[in-house]
Amino acid sequence: MPTSYDVLIIGSGQAGNPLATAFSKAGRTVALVEENHLGGSCINYGCSPTKALLASAERAHQLRTASEYGMADVEPQIDFRAVIARKDTLVKHSREGVRHNLEEEQTGITVLHGHAAFTGPRTMQVQLVGGKTREIEAPLIFLNTGTRAALPELEGLADVPYLTTTELLDLRELPEHLLILGGGYIGLEFGQMFRRFGSQVTIIESHRNLLEREDDDVCAAMQEMLEAEGIEFVLGAKARRVTRNAEGQITLSAHTRTGERRLRGTHLLVATGRVPNSDKLGLKTVGIKTDEKGYIQVNSRLETAAKGVYALGDVHGGPQFTHISYDDYRVVRDGLLHGKWRSAKQRPLPYTVFTEPQLGRIGLNEQQAKEQGIEYRVGKMPVRTIGRARETGRETGFWKVLVDKQDRVLGAAILGAEGGEIMTMFQLVMMGRLTYPQLQNMIIAHPTWAEGLNNVFSKLQ
């Protein structure tokens, strides 16, 4: 006979964990099933470990460029195993924190390790680690199973020891020459990281620009910034074949606008996107629909076609960011526990590319404004014009803002030091519906990065 719970959550990511806690505090019994490590992608192979490694890479870069600040340059001796060990310590601490919260701090939560699949409406079978199975039923089921690395149809890939981001995070030796297939934000962050650790890096991208969501000027500036650090880009390249010789050298053949290129390296990172972990959940058993890529289809309340079954986080498609997954939790928490529903289809999308300097983005860019037929003016200001930039020597990049006919901010792209933090200031401005003259006349402490809010709008055209 099935074991009954009030709530069944599949996946312990950034939506599943807090939801389990919220229902537990509301007096509901909760079963949470996790197939891999507790904490989901962010803690285990996403945000936390990559940002920890980026911090080490930035420190190495500071040593190499110390002469810019009146000190002798130092070529850092990279102890890559120690770098990875620092990352592992942070990940372990986060995992233990999640486990402590779910298993010790809360009452009414049962954590199960295994794989779950539907066997009928509101019923799932869990294949536990160790071989046993359990049948669980619940009136509310939440699918928070995330995504995994997408693999391109590339001849020879199965015969080459390629890396996804998950495997790359666990390397113990620094690559001599890292080939990165994919020029999205993941490829750029890892590219700069390993270049600063001392690897040669080549990034191969099928589109003519990096970062397909961004305007051309942002893409060009990002490319120029990374090329200045020694990263090679091969854009508009269709990867056709990959091989590995007896000495371990990897060769990637790609068709480009200038002809066939043969790119050689010691390691290959595949960073060509993600696919949802929806294919082994038994969705057809209960009539849950997916799109052509396998992402679970949901309504504005994140409910699937099966009543009482919700999909949270990356598995339902759309922007794949931790903060969006966490907001999914808030949407269903407020709706189901407090009767206050809001649409998950209409919300702001802030995000940051954690290169150094960062790219912070909120709202519309120029291309999106044109596609939507919105009249706008654009202001663009070099970072070097901000006093704080000159004083700290962090002058790379620019601020770009769009305003509408009512003088309100439509969007911003901040490519520069603390880009993500500054972008959030613009997000607050947009939420408060302030007009740009209010920002121009606001008294802002000197010397701060925020002073750019006084000045960027003087560039409006």
Side-chain angles (χ1 to χ4, degrees):
M1 294 293 293
T3 304
S4 295
Y5 291 87
D6 297 322
V7 177
L8 174 58
I9 300 172
I10 312 302
S12 65
Q14 294 303 304
N17 290 341
L19 192 62
T21 298
F23 274 112
S24 174
K25 289 181 176 179
R28 312 285 184 89
T29 57
V30 179
L32 186 148
V33 181
E34 175 55 59
E35 189 170 5
N36 297 302
H37 294 294
L38 289 174
S41 62
C42 180
I43 286 176
N44 293 292
Y45 51 85
C47 318
S48 296
T50 57
K51 277 49 180 181
L53 294 180
L54 283 167
S56 296
E58 183 176 353
R59 188 62 57 92
H61 182 69
Q62 290 169 350
L63 291 173
R64 287 194 187 94
T65 58
S67 61
E68 297 176 9
Y69 297 85
M71 294 165 280
D73 289 343
V74 177
E75 182 59 35
Q77 301 300 307
I78 305 295
D79 184 344
F80 194 63
R81 287 180 177 267
V83 170
I84 296 299
R86 175 181 179 271
K87 179 268 296 181
D88 289 343
T89 298
L90 293 171
V91 170
K92 181 181 178 183
H93 177 76
S94 297
R95 286 177 185 167
E96 290 175 349
V98 171
R99 180 178 297 280
H100 180 76
N101 175 67
L102 293 174
E103 297 184 342
E104 298 181 32
E105 290 187 8
Q106 309 302 325
T107 58
I109 299 178
T110 300
V111 177
L112 301 173
H113 291 275
H115 175 77
F118 283 99
T119 55
R122 298 182 175 83
T123 305
M124 300 188 81
Q125 185 181 78
V126 181
Q127 184 72 40
L128 296 170
V129 173
K132 295 183 179 181
T133 61
R134 287 186 63 177
E135 197 88 7
I136 296 177
E137 63 179 9
L140 288 174
I141 297 177
F142 300 91
L143 307 176
N144 182 220
T145 51
T147 61
R148 61 185 183 273
L151 300 179
E153 294 184 3
L154 178 60
E155 182 183 350
L157 186 62
D159 302 320
V160 170
Y162 64 87
L163 302 166
T164 67
T165 55
T166 304
E167 290 90 20
L168 188 63
L169 289 168
D170 289 330
L171 283 183
R172 292 300 186 265
E173 295 182 1
L174 188 66
E176 179 182 341
H177 188 165
L178 180 62
L179 303 176
I180 300 178
L181 189 58
Y185 71 90
I186 293 175
L188 298 185
E189 288 181 7
F190 276 104
Q192 186 182 49
M193 176 200 303
F194 277 91
R195 180 61 190 143
R196 288 181 168 187
F197 283 144
S199 302
Q200 285 184 262
V201 175
T202 301
I203 296 178
I204 304 99
E205 169 57 45
S206 59
H207 294 89
R208 65 181 181 88
N209 280 338
L210 306 170
L211 298 171
E212 57 182 331
R213 290 193 185 100
E214 310 306 331
D215 287 330
D216 287 352
D217 55 350
V218 173
C219 296
M222 176 70 78
Q223 181 176 342
E224 181 181 355
M225 176 184 84
L226 295 176
E227 283 179 334
E229 293 196 24
I231 295 176
E232 178 188 11
F233 289 93
V234 182
L235 303 180
K238 174 63 175 177
R240 295 189 179 277
R241 188 169 182 264
V242 61
T243 60
R244 182 172 183 257
N245 65 17
E247 288 73 37
Q249 184 181 63
I250 292 173
T251 300
L252 180 71
S253 300
H255 181 73
T256 73
R257 287 168 290 182
T258 58
E260 199 76 10
R261 290 282 304 273
R262 293 172 63 82
L263 305 160
R264 295 178 174 84
T266 58
H267 295 73
L268 172 65
L269 170 64
V270 177
T272 52
R274 311 285 295 178
V275 294
N277 293 320
S278 62
D279 49 329
K280 297 180 181 179
L281 294 174
L283 300 181
K284 291 184 179 179
T285 303
V286 290
I288 294 177
K289 299 177 181 178
T290 62
D291 66 12
E292 67 280 0
K293 295 182 179 180
Y295 290 103
I296 298 174
Q297 295 183 322
V298 295
N299 61 20
S300 63
R301 295 183 174 187
L302 301 173
E303 191 172 20
T304 70
K307 186 173 178 60
V309 181
Y310 297 77
L312 311 177
D314 297 351
V315 76
H316 68 67
Q320 296 182 16
F321 297 109
T322 293
H323 44 282
I324 297 300
S325 296
Y326 188 77
D327 193 57
D328 283 355
Y329 143 69
R330 291 185 294 208
V331 168
V332 296
R333 175 203 64 187
D334 293 347
L336 293 171
L337 290 178
H338 307 301
K340 298 179 180 179
W341 285 105
R342 61 181 170 88
S343 174
K345 303 290 187 179
Q346 299 174 345
R347 51 187 172 183
L349 176 58
Y351 59 91
T352 302
V353 181
F354 285 90
T355 50
E356 200 277 316
Q358 301 168 3
L359 170 63
R361 277 275 286 112
I362 182 66
L364 301 180
N365 60 22
E366 286 197 74
Q367 179 180 343
Q368 292 165 334
K370 290 174 182 176
E371 290 172 353
Q372 296 181 29
I374 298 174
E375 292 186 36
Y376 68 91
R377 289 187 292 162
V378 61
K380 189 172 175 181
M381 177 184 72
V383 167
R384 65 176 180 273
T385 63
I386 303 172
R388 185 70 175 169
R390 296 192 298 273
E391 293 150 6
T392 60
R394 303 167 73 186
E395 300 183 25
T396 301
F398 59 84
W399 292 18
K400 181 178 180 180
V401 295
L402 275 65
V403 301
D404 63 15
K405 292 191 298 183
Q406 286 75 41
D407 294 340
R408 292 193 174 94
V409 176
L410 287 169
I414 310 299
L415 178 61
E418 310 301 338
E421 312 298 332
I422 296 163
M423 171 273 292
T424 304
M425 298 182 195
F426 282 101
Q427 183 179 356
L428 292 170
V429 167
M430 294 166 68
M431 291 183 67
R433 297 183 61 78
L434 299 179
T435 62
Y436 81 80
Q438 290 174 285
L439 303 177
Q440 281 185 308
N441 296 316
M442 183 168 62
I443 299 174
I444 300 176
H446 174 78
T448 62
W449 292 107
E451 282 186 297
L453 293 169
N454 284 159
N455 303 323
V456 65
F457 299 102
S458 65
K459 310 296 184 181
L460 287 173
Q461 294 181 353

